[in-house]
Amino acid sequence: MIKQEHIKQLCVVPGKKFHLKDFDTGWAQIEEFKQYDKEALKDHANSLLEQNLLDLTSEQQLLYADDRYSLLIIFQAMDAAGKDGTIKHVMSGVNPQGCQVFSFKRPSDEEINHNFLWRYMKCLPERGRIGIFNRSYYEDVLVVKVHPELLKNLPDSKKNTVFWEDRYEDINTFEHHLVRNGTVVLKFFLNVSKEEQKKRFMERLLRPEKNWKFSASDLSERERWSDYMHAYEEAIRATNTEWAPWYIVPADNKWVTRALVADIITSTLRRLELKLPKLSETQLKILEEARKILENE
Ligand code: ATP
Ligand code: MG
């Protein structure tokens, strides 16, 4: 496990001015990782990930048996920051029956014809389950803020100067509602640098088996990089609440991202002190009787 004080370096401090440039995209920011060179870091991060995956498997079983909490994990990032790979690796030891992943793309006509939280509400995890959002309602204050033309279906009177503040408030209230009802909300921003994104795009273009991952819009969105960074900063600043905090995870090294995300998920579940349900005297009697019946068959 990574020390809590080191994980705290990834948190946005409530009330403090938040700037993405204060967060390293590599690993230099994480005290625990500083002592390693690149190769040794990879080994260390991988062994941390391995241990956390074992712990996560047992914590998930307890979450399911305990059946009081659910866990919602949100991944937001620029293209090619590694959302898919992180989800694949971190959740590899998890029982698929207790976990669901939803990837949110451009909304359909039906979705656009509802309030902006509608399509996400339908996908929230049941008690005892883990729900993963690969992109989320944050897109509605990120890509939509960078491309306000996407808002065309709203009445003009609603597109006023406090429109975005209202949306942040809606998100905070929505998340507060979830937390008050037993959902733990974890939000990860995978913080990749513009240089690393270029490398990953080049790889997608040069390696035939990766070609399918590249889409034409990737370059046009990259051109709006600083608008996106600005939108992310404003959204994270406004929605970093004590009940649903943001983690800014360095994403230029995939193994560092995965080790950190796995560690945060596992330690969050551990803090819930989940327990196997305690059986009542009557339930124990029923079990005892069932055992006797089977023994005498
Ligand atoms: P990859 O990292 O593999 O490219 P992805 O999550 O980017 O995966 P894509 O199919 O490439 O998946 O892109 C999904 C697109 O849908 C993104 O550009 C995203 O901004 C857009 N999108 C998601 N939610 C919304 C929304 N509410 N309104 C408008 N666009 C959205
Ligand atoms: Mg994409």
Side-chain angles (χ1 to χ4, degrees), residues 270-282:
R270 209 178 280 127
R271 275 199 296 277
L272 296 177
E273 300 187 348
L274 301 164
K275 290 185 185 65
L276 290 174
K278 231 183 157 54
L279 299 190
S280 67
E281 285 296 316
T282 326

Side-chain angles (χ1 to χ4, degrees), residues 1 40-53 259:
M1 262 189 76
L41 176 76
K42 189 173 178 177
D43 290 344
H44 178 64
N46 279 337
S47 68
L48 272 173
L49 177 64
E50 228 168 88
Q51 183 52 50
N52 270 313
L53 292 189

Side-chain angles (χ1 to χ4, degrees), residues 88-106:
K88 183 169 118 189
H89 281 83
V90 173
M91 304 320 280
S92 58
V94 157
N95 180 351
Q97 290 204 80
C99 176
Q100 250 185 316
V101 184
F102 295 93
S103 297
F104 293 100
K105 314 279 178 189
R106 280 185 88 132

Side-chain angles (χ1 to χ4, degrees), residues 142-151 164 220-221 224 228:
L142 294 165
V143 64
V144 182
K145 198 172 186 191
V146 174
H147 296 280
E149 65 278 11
L150 293 170
L151 278 173
W164 300 108
S220 53
E221 297 315 293
R224 307 290 301 269
Y228 271 105

Side-chain angles (χ1 to χ4, degrees), residues 108-236:
S108 66
D109 285 348
E110 188 194 18
E111 288 167 343
I112 282 194
N113 281 325
H114 287 82
N115 70 73
F116 84 97
L117 290 171
W118 182 74
R119 67 170 179 157
Y120 310 99
M121 282 183 189
K122 296 192 295 179
C123 302
L124 291 169
E126 289 172 52
R127 252 171 249 290
R129 315 288 168 102
I130 298 177
I132 296 177
F133 282 6
N134 181 350
R135 300 189 186 272
S136 64
Y137 40 84
Y138 282 98
E139 291 294 321
D140 296 85
V141 291
L142 294 165
V143 64
V144 182
K145 198 172 186 191
V146 174
H147 296 280
E149 65 278 11
L150 293 170
L151 278 173
K152 57 185 181 300
N153 288 35
L154 273 183
D156 282 342
S157 63
K158 301 290 175 203
K159 296 185 218 165
N160 50 23
T161 50
V162 289
F163 179 81
W164 300 108
E165 272 71 34
D166 286 349
R167 279 209 165 178
Y168 300 142
E169 193 186 313
D170 289 343
I171 289 177
N172 287 341
T173 311
F174 174 60
E175 288 179 345
H176 211 169
H177 165 72
L178 297 182
V179 172
R180 284 171 172 148
N181 282 276
T183 300
V184 177
V185 182
L186 275 181
K187 305 184 291 200
F188 295 108
F189 172 61
L190 305 191
N191 189 19
V192 75
S193 65
K194 200 173 175 192
E195 300 72 51
E196 181 63 25
Q197 190 199 50
K198 180 176 175 180
K199 263 200 231 160
R200 292 186 190 174
F201 280 169
M202 286 303 279
E203 221 180 316
R204 289 179 179 189
L205 292 168
L206 294 171
R207 290 177 51 183
E209 75 279 13
K210 291 202 170 186
N211 283 171
W212 65 275
K213 287 192 179 184
F214 191 81
S215 69
S217 66
D218 285 350
L219 281 193
S220 53
E221 297 315 293
R222 178 177 165 80
E223 276 170 26
R224 307 290 301 269
W225 185 275
S226 63
D227 296 334
Y228 271 105
M229 289 304 111
H230 191 62
Y232 265 107
E233 268 184 348
E234 295 202 318
I236 291 173

